[in-house]
Amino acid sequence: MNIARDSVVSIHYTLKGDDGDVIDSSASREPLAYLHGHGNLVVGLERELEGKSVGDKLSVKVSPAEGYGEYEDQLVQKISRRSLRGISNIRLGMQLHTQTPQGTRVVTVTHIAGDMVTIDGNHPLAGKALSFEVEITDVRQATEEELSHGHVHGAGGHHH
Ligand SMILES: [Zn+2]
């Protein structure tokens, strides 16, 4: 069958950045299974998979806007260490969950100077052009339960 909305698709993939470095790969794992048409993949990749079938191999270049978003300077903030009260051992690269008017946001600690901590709310891959090598290993119809949860169950998906 061909990939369409509500397909459960299994892929092996390798993701590289602008510089050709491998950012992530499923090569040493089981394939990634995702529910197609529900925004579970970056939009630029999901669109290219539409209509493809098992055995197809694709090379897909994804712009930041269709990947993890443009890098937004206003998502970078300097705050005092005191406002992170309750979080011990603040260190570089640490990811924190903060409350904003738009809901919970994951931020990364990118700089620490004395009492000031810089946090960055951009996705770690924001602003990066991405390059995916993808091989489709399975396509099936989603179950009712998977559709109601919005994600895949079983191999390569959620186990709960
Ligand atoms: Zn579920």
Side-chain angles (χ1 to χ4, degrees), residues 145-146 149-153 158 160:
E145 189 183 48
E146 287 171 324
H149 287 201
H151 58 228
V152 173
H153 293 162
H158 286 241
H160 65 97

Side-chain angles (χ1 to χ4, degrees), residues 20-73:
D21 285 352
V22 174
I23 295 170
D24 190 19
S25 173
S26 65
S28 60
R29 304 194 293 262
E30 61 184 340
L32 171 78
Y34 79 95
L35 183 58
H36 189 83
H38 293 256
N40 292 332
L41 294 187
V42 296
V43 59
L45 178 59
E46 189 166 50
R47 189 184 54 227
E48 294 301 315
L49 284 161
E50 181 89 22
K52 302 293 192 298
S53 55
V54 173
D56 284 351
K57 294 182 182 179
L58 298 76
S59 296
V60 181
K61 296 224 182 294
V62 174
S63 66
E66 293 192 321
Y68 291 95
E70 302 288 356
Y71 191 87
E72 295 181 53
D73 290 330

